[in-house]
């Protein structure tokens, strides 16, 4: 059981208001923000992921839980930064050039945040050049590329090629996902991994940074 | 010469009827529901394969598919005793615009476009009998406002309505493709009205019947169509040619 059952339950139930109120109150009382993240937020999102995998939760439940977690996390983030707490890893995400479908990408971004990663979300229709610039600027360890259309899948390959051309391919792990993407395609374009859903994207990211 | 069997998505209803009417040879059409696109690629492939398998190979010269790769909805399809002909296209818009080069050019110059044709107006929305199987339904994307409020409360319902329930939420424009076979102004008007109510831009462009016509007429240039020999299967090529024949054993 979590040390902070109220926060844990609020996230699990997607109760954004309760999660935020509890977090504010805890901070006012001088509780360690890192403890809130590690003992309530991350375990709650782990449990959400487990329930999703077991078909106890579906996409809406996943989304509202992530929303509650994000609200609480936004409250403690400035304190973590001040304290110098290191994230588990830094992930740049976006939908590739030409693709405006971001429901899946947003879900993955939330789940990664809920797993302790810092997520830099470049949004939709992101060009290879923009991905390269963000990796450089943010010193990201992982990049997550999303596509819903087979029409835009070639942009994944061009993004990986752009990273190689800039000499960044060795320093960043590339993960890909989206409805038409397969492990075979990930292998074909030289990506480091493929996640079938938001839960497996988190497992993969942890593996890629050597945390699992 | 034996006739051709054409298995088509109903989204092409008007265009295909016109193309077949003009074709020098006999073409027998089987239309399948547009909702096949919404049930996941493996189910879609299975339904298409059923239709291919029902074709009597002694009575036809080839099976034509009026489909694009459609999110891998054709991957793994097998030709039985006669060849299967597949357009090299990501989706139906290539076929409406007459070439995949023209589609890609327009697509990349106009991000956020939702294409419309007479078929998309008439048949584009409802998955019909397949609705219960659809990915949207299974993901909760088709829930009504009342249903969302009941399950998740008003605050979360508003969030889900905005974030999950509208796959076109980042789209900004309807482009109506005039194919020239449908009556003027009937469909344009409806799309224009919907653009107005969504606050989207509206554009009309001329379509091109020639690729559909070439498929129907049996003019299958390998740059435009993949002819899958008997016993072989369709695979994605991940390149400009979009589809290829799978290596044996895969």
């Amino acid at each position: 059981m979590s040390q902070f059952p109220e926060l844990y339950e609020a996230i699990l139930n997607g109760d954004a208001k309760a999660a935020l109120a509890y977090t504010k109150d805890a901070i006012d009382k001088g509780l360690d923000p890192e403890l809130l993240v590690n003992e309530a937020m991350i375990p709650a999102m782990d449990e959400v992921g487990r329930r999703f995998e077991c078909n106890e939760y579906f996409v809406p439940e996943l989304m509202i839980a992530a929303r509650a977690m994000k609200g609480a996390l936004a409250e403690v983030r400035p304190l973590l930064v001040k304290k110098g707490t290191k994230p588990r890893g830094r992930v740049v995400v976006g939908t590739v050039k030409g693709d405006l479908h971001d429901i899946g990408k947003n879900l993955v971004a939330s789940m990664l945040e809920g797993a302790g990663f810092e997520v830099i979300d470049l949004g939709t229709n992101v060009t290879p050049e923009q991905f390269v610039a963000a990796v450089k600027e943010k010193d990201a360890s992982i990049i997550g590329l999303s596509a819903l259309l087979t029409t835009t899948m070639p942009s994944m390959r061009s993004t990986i090629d752009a990273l190689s051309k800039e000499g960044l391919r060795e320093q960043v792990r590339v993960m890909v996902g989206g409805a038409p993407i397969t492990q075979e395609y990930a292998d074909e374009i030289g990506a480091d991994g493929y996640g079938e859903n938001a839960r497996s994207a988190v497992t993969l990211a942890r593996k890629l940074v050597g945390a699992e | 010469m034996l006739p051709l069997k054409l298995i088509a998505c109903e989204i092409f209803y008007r265009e295909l009827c016109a193309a077949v009417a003009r074709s020098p040879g006999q073409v027998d059409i089987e239309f399948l529901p547009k909702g096949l696109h919404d049930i996941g690629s493996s189910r879609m492939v299975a339904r298409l394969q059923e239709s291919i398998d029902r074709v009597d190979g002694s009575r036809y010269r080839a099976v034509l598919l009026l489909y694009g790769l459609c999110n891998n909805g054709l991957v793994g399809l097998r030709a039985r005793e006669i060849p299967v002909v597949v357009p090299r296209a990501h989706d139906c818009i290539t076929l409406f615009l007459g070439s995949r080069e023209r589609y890609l050019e327009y697509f990349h110059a106009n991000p956020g476009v939702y294409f419309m044709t007479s078929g998309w107006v008439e048949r584009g929305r409802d998955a019909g009998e397949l609705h219960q199987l659809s990915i949207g339904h299974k993901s909760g994307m088709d829930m009504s406002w009342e249903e969302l409020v009941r399950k998740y409360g008003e605050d979360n319902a508003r969030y889900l309505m905005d974030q999950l329930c509208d796959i076109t939420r980042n789209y900004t424009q309807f482009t109506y493709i005039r194919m020239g076979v449908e009556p003027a102004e009937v469909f344009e008007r409806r799309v224009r009205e919907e653009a107005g109510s969504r606050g989207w831009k509206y554009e009309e462009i001329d379509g091109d019947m020639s690729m559909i016509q070439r498929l129907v007429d049996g003019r299958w240039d390998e740059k435009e169509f993949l002819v899958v020999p008997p016993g072989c299967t369709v695979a994605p090529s991940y390149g400009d040619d979009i589809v290829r024949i799978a290596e044996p054993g895969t």
Side-chain angles (χ1 to χ4, degrees), chain A residues 160-183:
Chain A
I160 293 178
D161 291 348
L163 289 167
S164 305
K165 223 172 117 197
E166 293 288 319
L168 296 166
R169 187 63 190 91
E170 293 306 308
Q171 74 172 62
V172 66
R173 306 271 71 88
V174 180
M175 49 188 225
V176 294
I181 312 300
T182 57
Q183 184 63 53

Side-chain angles (χ1 to χ4, degrees), chain A residues 11 41 45 65-75 77 106 109-111 113-114 121, chain B residues 159:
Chain A
I11 291 172
M41 297 183 198
M45 291 309 289
R67 178 190 182 214
M69 180 278 303
K70 280 172 84 165
L73 187 64
E75 204 60 29
R77 187 173 289 121
N106 293 343
S110 300
M111 294 299 284
E113 273 191 311
D121 188 346
Chain B
Y159 177 74

Side-chain angles (χ1 to χ4, degrees), chain A residues 99-156:
Chain A
D99 214 307
L100 296 177
H101 305 91
D102 60 356
I103 295 172
K105 182 268 295 171
N106 293 343
L107 205 50
V108 168
S110 300
M111 294 299 284
L112 287 171
E113 273 191 311
F117 286 91
E118 182 184 340
V119 175
I120 296 125
D121 188 346
L122 301 182
T124 59
N125 191 17
V126 181
T127 63
E129 297 73 31
Q130 288 168 316
F131 275 117
V132 164
V135 167
K136 269 189 195 162
E137 189 194 330
K138 305 287 181 181
D139 192 26
S141 44
I142 300 180
I143 173 169
L145 308 176
S146 167
L148 182 77
L149 306 172
T150 60
T151 322
T152 56
M153 278 165 65
S155 303
M156 290 188 162

Side-chain angles (χ1 to χ4, degrees), chain B residues 10 31 55 74 77 82 87 90 112 117 154:
Chain B
E10 63 171 333
F31 282 107
V55 177
L74 302 195
L77 280 182
I82 50 175
H90 283 294
T117 61
E154 206 174 315

